[in-house]
Amino acid sequence: MEEKMKHLEMIQNVITRMASNSFLLKGWTVTLVVGLLAFANIKEMNSDFMFLALVPAAFFWVLDGYFINEERKYVKLYEHVATLNNDQIDFSLNARQYEEKTGGLVSAFWSNTLKLFYLPTLIVVIAAIFAYQ
């Protein structure tokens, strides 16, 4: 039982890191987008800087989708290990086999949590670009 708990702790640590990375990406997205929009405002509404705000928003959306996908795979691994007997524990952290069960990267990219954060961010940037042209 102790081996199983240790293996589950290892997997939980990976899941926690993925969730932390996702959270940090959202914070950086807001920081960079707001900073670039503010800089564009200082430069007398230069829409070129506003276009630059689209880059981190789009890039971080893709990267965040990657972390969500990895987190989902490790959750599946956690669920699998939780059902194993002690003699079956191998301490593997390989979660690639669960890619099909999670829907893949595209599914994670279009998850509700990411859409509800990144789509409004992109809409605000695009609205700012059109408002000041």
Side-chain angles (χ1 to χ4, degrees), residues 29 33 52-62 118 121-122 125:
T29 300
V33 167
L52 283 177
L54 291 172
V55 174
F59 177 74
F60 287 153
W61 188 355
V62 172
Y118 289 101
T121 303
L122 291 173
V125 172

Side-chain angles (χ1 to χ4, degrees), residues 8 17 20 25 27 30 32-33 42 52 57 61-62 66 71 89 96 98 103 107-108 112-113 128-129 133:
L8 290 173
R17 277 197 316 270
S20 176
L25 282 173
V30 170
L32 289 174
V33 167
I42 291 170
L52 283 177
W61 188 355
V62 172
Y66 170 78
E71 182 181 343
I89 301 296
R96 288 184 202 156
Y98 302 105
S107 173
N112 287 336
T113 56
I129 290 169
Q133 278 191 347

Side-chain angles (χ1 to χ4, degrees), residues 26 57 72:
K26 289 176 180 72
R72 287 177 177 179

Side-chain angles (χ1 to χ4, degrees), residues 24-44:
L24 289 172
L25 282 173
K26 289 176 180 72
W28 274 104
T29 300
V30 170
T31 302
L32 289 174
V33 167
V34 169
L36 287 167
L37 291 178
F39 191 68
N41 192 17
I42 291 170
K43 292 288 188 181
E44 298 174 7

Side-chain angles (χ1 to χ4, degrees), residues 12-28:
Q12 183 60 48
N13 287 338
V14 172
I15 293 169
T16 301
R17 277 197 316 270
M18 296 297 164
S20 176
N21 289 341
S22 182
F23 178 77
L24 289 172
L25 282 173
K26 289 176 180 72
W28 274 104

Side-chain angles (χ1 to χ4, degrees), residues 104-124:
L105 186 58
V106 174
S107 173
F109 180 78
W110 289 110
S111 68
N112 287 336
T113 56
L114 296 187
K115 283 191 297 190
L116 289 174
F117 180 80
Y118 289 101
L119 280 178
T121 303
L122 291 173
I123 289 169
V124 165

